[in-house]
Amino acid sequence: MTNGTPPPERKALGGDPSALFDSAVKAFSEGRAADACRQCKILLEIASDNRDVLHLYAAAAASSGDTATAIAASQRLIKLAPDHAEGRRNLGALLASQKRHAEARVHLGAAVKLAPNHVGGRLMLVRSLRALEAHAEARAEAEAVATLAPDNADAQFTLGNLRLSGGDRDGALRAFARALALRPDHIDTLVNLGVALRASNRGDEARLALQRALTLQPGSSSAHFNLGTLELDRGAWEEAIRRYRLALEAGGDAVSLHRGIGLAHLLRNDRDAAIASFKASLAVAPEDPDTLVALGDALVQLKRMSEATDCFRRALVAAPRHPQAIPRLFNQALQCCDWDEARRLKPMVDALTDEALAKGEAPAEAAFLSLAHAEDPARNRAIAEAMSRLAAQRAGPRLVLPARPRDGGRRLKLGYLSTDFRNHAVSQLLVRTLELHDRSQFKVWAYSTGSEDRSALRERVRDGVDAFIDVRDHDHRAAAERIAKDEVDILIDLTLHTTGARLEIAALRPAPIQMGWLGYPGSSGADFFDYLLTDKIVTPPDQAPHYSEQLAYLPETFQPNDDRQPIAPGTSKRAGYGLPETGFVFCSFNQPYKIEPVLFDVWMGLLRDLPESVLWLHRVNEVAPVNLQREAEKRGVAPERLVFADRPEKPIHLRRLGLADLALDTRLYNGHTTTSDALWAKLPVLTLLGSQYASRVSASVLTAIGMPDLVATNLEGYRTIALRLARDPAALANVKARLARNRSTLPLFDSPRFARNLEAVYHAAWARHEIGLAPALIDVPAPTPGARRDG
């Protein structure tokens, strides 16, 4: 029963009943609903089927909070008078208040047919249709009401909400603008206008609408919440947290606000604070699926895999088709080598990704995850494109760079942007190149978006560049403006679509030339990167259509290496790592998500064919070893023949690699740093040449060290090479001796040579830019033996 519903007109019952009815009407109109109810009950004993009394009784009962009695009285009224429009409408409202929307829909729909010009009743019908997720019907009704009453602000506001939820952002903006013209100070309209503007990538206008709402109502929790989300978009984590806390103080939804605070902490790598906030959210709503997914993400980063998996599974119990939980759980299955679970989830992940891409949206499946299970370069590019497009939308308008005078003699300024200037594979590979850049031709600046781990490697990176700028606490635009102010000529993003990515910085175009490299083995899918640094093995020319960037070919390999990487002195003993003193030791220190059943079949076949052999693997989490040993047993191999090792300090790891006889590479996603590490430790690596960048890296690395004979083209060839080397000690010794020679003479570990090759590519790209040419394929030839490349 809506507030302010007038009492029915008095109709005489005759004698005392008429006076009693008149008294009931008076009591109701004076706000004495309980008195009106008592008098109506007496009247109904005299005239049980009087429609006016039933109508008044329903109104009085609803007003006094006795919804059950109000519904019962309304139902008796409708039974007596099916065409009673107001009775139908009020019954519908009462049922909707109890979330009985299917029943409400019936009565509100009947009321609309009886009184089609009653705007309030039609808007109530829209609300019930929305609650029933009858979105098309709800929108059609809202459109009809807005046409019927173009000057009704509530009708325009409701239509704007329906259009926004249906993806019609422009239509929503028009409706909200009309609603505000009719009612300029309506807080909810201003807030929802801000939401629509944000969805339309008009962040500055969204902020103005929300700030206007706060001017009118400083305690608007929804305005603070949506401003917090805008701050999250632009990478202003601390300001986002402040806004969310203000919304909490204003009585906003604790579940979503604690979750938002946690997300901001997680984005700035403060995982402990993030987990505390997520737990605060779950204390209010223990099975909220969105919060469970967010908590799972934080636990994954801490490698607490079992707890993370439990979070994702609980989220799917609460929301069986949750678009974020499904790919997360799939990723967990891959990380833990739970292949039965992965097979079950993969079709669901593919379907969700297809749906998102068809709608032009970024899927929940991470671009990096797609490389680990999909062999389709076109699909991988499509996912990366959607992610990059979203980053560009969040970033907002690009910077306008001032014209720079041409000066062919000046040093070029390189800006390396990364979240991984820490004890991480990217820095392990790159640090020597940073040190070796020719300072007579280049200035080298590093822009760090990652956390401070106080490692020796981070200090070495800091010492190896001309300037080390920590922009972790800068928002995206502030970081980009700093790069632009520093007049970086070529910006190289080393993170792209990997953990901690901040593509929004590059999306703002802070440098004249922008390149992607190293961290992510594939196309960025972005129109804000001009080049991808690569080589012709990982990215053959015929695969260029799968890349949004122009290809910038390094002549020998795309992967840098450190020719001074220390190996711990002394010797390692097999017994110290649980390895047998005799027998052949295969190893694979790749991440477990890279191991797949089809390759594991081959590995177990090798162990069956070589009874004295073992397979030495990396223990990354607590679950994968259990699953892999179970899978080995299924394939007729004793579980104890799989030996697992924790990861020590890098120099010790490099020393212990000498205990193995042959490293077995993974197929869909090769070892990258892992392969280089093995070769630096003089351990041969056997790989497969795959169909896309991630599956061709080891082939590039092995070719650059003169070992192409260790690159198989199919699984049978891979198995044949492995068996031959395991059964023929002389052949294996020959391979190891050749590797030891090549290690010091061929390009892979010739760090100065690599630095000159890379600089030649930078010079070629800048030369095109200087004369006004658009980016195009760069193919720098290899230097002649012994020659210095001067750019």
Side-chain angles (χ1 to χ4, degrees):
M1 187 71 63
T2 56
N3 290 333
T5 299
E9 293 182 10
R10 181 176 66 82
K11 293 184 179 179
L13 298 175
D16 289 340
S18 176
L20 187 57
F21 181 70
D22 194 48
S23 176
V25 170
K26 186 174 186 293
F28 182 78
S29 64
E30 292 175 352
R32 294 181 288 112
D35 288 342
C37 282
R38 283 193 297 271
Q39 294 170 35
C40 285
K41 287 174 72 174
I42 295 170
L43 284 165
L44 287 172
E45 291 175 4
I46 300 170
S48 62
D49 292 340
N50 187 281
R51 302 173 188 183
D52 295 313
V53 175
L54 285 167
H55 191 197
L56 178 59
Y57 188 27
S63 184
S64 64
D66 187 354
T67 305
T69 296
I71 289 173
S74 294
Q75 287 171 333
R76 286 171 62 186
L77 171 61
I78 297 307
K79 188 174 181 179
L80 289 168
D83 294 340
H84 197 296
E86 188 175 358
R88 287 274 195 182
R89 191 160 48 247
N90 289 340
L91 176 56
L94 287 164
L95 292 166
S97 73
Q98 300 298 297
K99 301 190 185 309
R100 294 162 62 179
H101 290 288
E103 298 167 80
R105 174 185 189 173
V106 172
H107 295 288
L108 292 170
V112 167
K113 290 178 181 177
L114 292 165
N117 293 331
H118 194 286
V119 174
R122 298 189 74 163
L123 292 177
M124 283 191 280
L125 175 59
V126 170
R127 285 191 283 274
S128 279
L129 290 169
R130 289 189 71 184
L132 292 167
E133 299 186 0
H135 301 300
E137 192 176 345
R139 178 164 172 176
E141 182 65 15
E143 297 278 2
V145 178
T147 301
L148 171 69
D151 293 333
N152 185 291
D154 284 333
Q156 296 297 331
F157 174 66
T158 300
L159 177 59
N161 291 336
L162 265 295
R163 285 175 172 173
L164 182 58
S165 63
D168 181 6
R169 295 164 187 163
D170 291 340
L173 290 171
R174 289 194 300 273
F176 290 139
R178 178 65 180 156
L180 282 173
L182 295 164
R183 192 169 50 188
D185 295 341
H186 191 249
I187 303 299
D188 289 343
T189 305
L190 283 166
V191 169
N192 287 8
L193 174 63
V195 173
L197 287 166
R198 173 180 174 262
S200 301
N201 309 314
R202 293 160 62 178
D204 290 342
E205 294 171 78
R207 185 170 283 102
L208 288 174
L210 294 166
Q211 287 171 339
R212 182 179 163 197
L214 284 176
T215 299
L216 294 167
Q217 185 180 314
S220 170
S221 62
S222 56
H224 280 302
F225 173 80
N226 284 290
L227 279 168
T229 302
L230 281 172
E231 300 301 338
L232 213 59
D233 286 345
R234 71 184 186 93
W237 320 132
E238 291 298 333
E239 181 61 15
I241 290 169
R242 187 181 77 85
R243 284 290 182 186
Y244 288 144
R245 285 180 175 156
L246 286 171
L248 267 176
E249 292 171 9
D253 176 53
V255 176
S256 57
L257 288 166
H258 282 302
R259 181 172 65 242
I261 292 168
L263 288 172
H265 282 305
L266 191 58
L267 286 166
R268 65 187 306 276
N269 296 319
D270 190 345
R271 299 181 184 100
D272 290 339
I275 288 172
S277 293
F278 296 143
K279 287 183 176 179
S281 177
L282 292 172
V284 181
E287 300 306 318
D288 179 74
D290 294 335
T291 308
L292 286 166
V293 167
L295 175 59
D297 286 343
L299 293 168
V300 165
Q301 292 187 24
L302 293 172
K303 301 191 185 305
R304 291 160 61 177
M305 308 304 278
S306 295
E307 295 171 77
T309 298
D310 179 63
C311 285
F312 299 137
R313 285 182 174 151
R314 285 169 58 195
L316 286 174
V317 170
R321 208 168 181 272
H322 196 286
Q324 282 79 42
I326 290 172
R328 258 73 160 197
L329 190 59
F330 176 60
N331 183 54
Q332 288 297 99
L334 295 179
Q335 294 283 2
C336 296
C337 299
D338 186 348
W339 297 326
D340 290 339
E341 178 81 330
R343 274 190 292 268
R344 182 182 72 82
L345 291 168
K346 180 174 167 41
M348 300 166 67
V349 173
D350 290 342
L352 286 169
T353 295
D354 289 342
E355 288 176 20
L357 293 175
K359 292 188 287 187
E361 297 175 354
E365 177 187 0
F368 191 84
L369 174 60
S370 73
L371 297 180
H373 75 96
E375 295 182 82
D376 182 351
R379 180 181 179 80
N380 292 335
R381 174 179 170 172
I383 294 171
E385 278 183 348
M387 301 288 185
S388 292
R389 189 164 54 247
L390 179 61
Q393 290 167 358
R394 283 195 296 255
R398 292 179 175 180
L399 303 183
V400 178
L401 301 181
R404 298 181 189 175
R406 293 181 183 176
D407 181 1
R410 71 177 176 85
R411 291 189 293 164
L412 290 179
K413 182 177 284 187
L414 307 176
Y416 288 96
L417 175 67
S418 181
T419 192
D420 296 322
F421 291 135
R422 54 193 172 92
N423 191 15
H424 184 276
V426 166
S427 290
Q428 292 168 12
L429 291 172
L430 183 66
V431 63
R432 183 67 174 138
T433 300
L434 297 176
E435 295 168 342
L436 287 168
H437 271 310
D438 185 345
R439 280 353 191 242
S440 69
Q441 299 183 51
F442 296 94
K443 299 176 185 177
V444 184
W445 288 38
Y447 295 89
S448 174
T449 61
S451 56
E452 168 68 76
D453 68 349
R454 305 187 186 281
S455 64
L457 185 56
R458 184 175 174 92
E459 288 307 307
R460 188 177 164 195
V461 170
R462 196 190 302 273
D463 292 342
V465 296
D466 301 315
F468 187 95
I469 314 299
D470 190 339
V471 295
R472 174 192 176 198
D473 290 328
H474 290 47
D475 64 50
H476 305 315
R477 187 165 292 272
E481 287 172 345
R482 173 61 197 263
I483 293 167
K485 180 183 176 183
D486 292 339
E487 295 189 329
V488 167
D489 295 308
I490 302 176
L491 180 69
I492 306 99
D493 190 317
L494 302 166
T495 308
L496 298 179
H497 294 291
T498 56
T499 301
R502 288 183 64 183
L503 283 168
E504 295 85 355
I505 297 173
L508 290 164
R509 292 289 327 203
I513 294 177
Q514 300 192 163
M515 300 182 174
W517 186 35
L518 201 58
Y520 176 76
S523 175
S524 69
D527 64 358
F528 46 84
F529 286 111
D530 305 298
Y531 295 98
L532 179 73
L533 289 164
T534 184
D535 65 47
K536 289 183 180 177
I537 293 179
V538 294
T539 313
D542 62 359
Q543 289 196 9
H546 300 309
Y547 292 80
S548 59
E549 311 89 345
Q550 292 293 327
L551 301 178
Y553 283 131
L554 283 103
E556 289 154 334
T557 182
F558 82 97
Q559 184 164 290
N561 282 285
D562 180 2
D563 63 359
R564 293 187 176 177
Q565 188 166 208
I567 299 177
T571 58
S572 296
K573 300 293 186 182
R574 281 189 171 188
Y577 294 98
L579 298 169
E581 289 298 334
T582 59
F584 200 88
V585 175
F586 294 106
C587 77
S588 184
F589 282 95
N590 289 308
Q591 296 280 339
Y593 72 85
K594 299 182 180 182
I595 304 172
E596 47 176 336
V598 66
L599 188 63
F600 195 72
D601 289 343
V602 174
W603 290 356
M604 295 305 97
L606 293 172
L607 296 191
R608 289 194 303 271
D609 289 340
L610 301 162
E612 302 301 314
S613 65
V614 297
L615 177 60
W616 195 17
L617 299 165
H618 185 191
R619 186 194 307 277
V620 176
N621 61 66
E622 72 277 15
V623 183
V626 175
N627 287 333
L628 287 171
Q629 288 186 322
R630 185 184 65 248
E631 293 290 340
E633 195 165 22
K634 284 183 187 176
R635 291 161 174 80
V637 174
E640 59 269 20
R641 292 180 65 191
L642 272 58
V643 181
F644 294 90
D646 296 322
R647 190 95 177 199
E649 291 296 316
K650 187 72 174 287
I652 296 173
H653 169 64
L654 292 172
R655 183 183 70 191
R656 75 176 178 181
L657 281 171
L659 299 175
D661 296 298
L662 179 65
L664 299 174
D665 196 19
T666 42
R667 185 182 74 100
L668 272 183
Y669 198 123
N670 292 165
H672 296 185
T673 310
T674 306
T675 297
S676 284
D677 285 348
L679 297 175
W680 182 244
K682 302 178 186 177
L683 173 66
V685 179
L686 173 62
T687 193
L688 273 161
L689 182 67
S691 60
Q692 58 181 338
Y693 191 139
S695 59
R696 302 172 68 92
V697 168
S698 291
S700 169
V701 169
L702 283 162
T703 301
I705 203 169
M707 311 292 286
D709 49 308
L710 294 179
V711 181
T713 57
N714 53 55
L715 285 170
E716 184 55 38
Y718 181 97
R719 175 181 175 278
T720 299
I721 295 170
L723 279 176
R724 176 173 60 82
L725 293 177
R727 286 171 169 166
D728 186 345
L732 180 62
N734 178 270
V735 166
K736 288 187 173 183
R738 185 156 48 95
L739 173 58
R741 290 194 304 272
N742 293 357
R743 178 178 176 270
S744 58
T745 58
L746 290 185
L748 182 63
F749 294 112
D750 188 339
S751 298
R753 180 186 180 100
F754 181 88
R756 302 293 85 78
N757 288 344
L758 179 61
E759 290 167 355
V761 172
Y762 290 154
H763 278 301
W766 188 254
R768 290 189 62 84
H769 173 75
E770 277 273 276
I771 59 176
L773 294 178
L777 175 77
I778 292 175
D779 189 1
V780 172
T784 55
R788 173 181 171 81
R789 194 189 284 283
D790 295 320

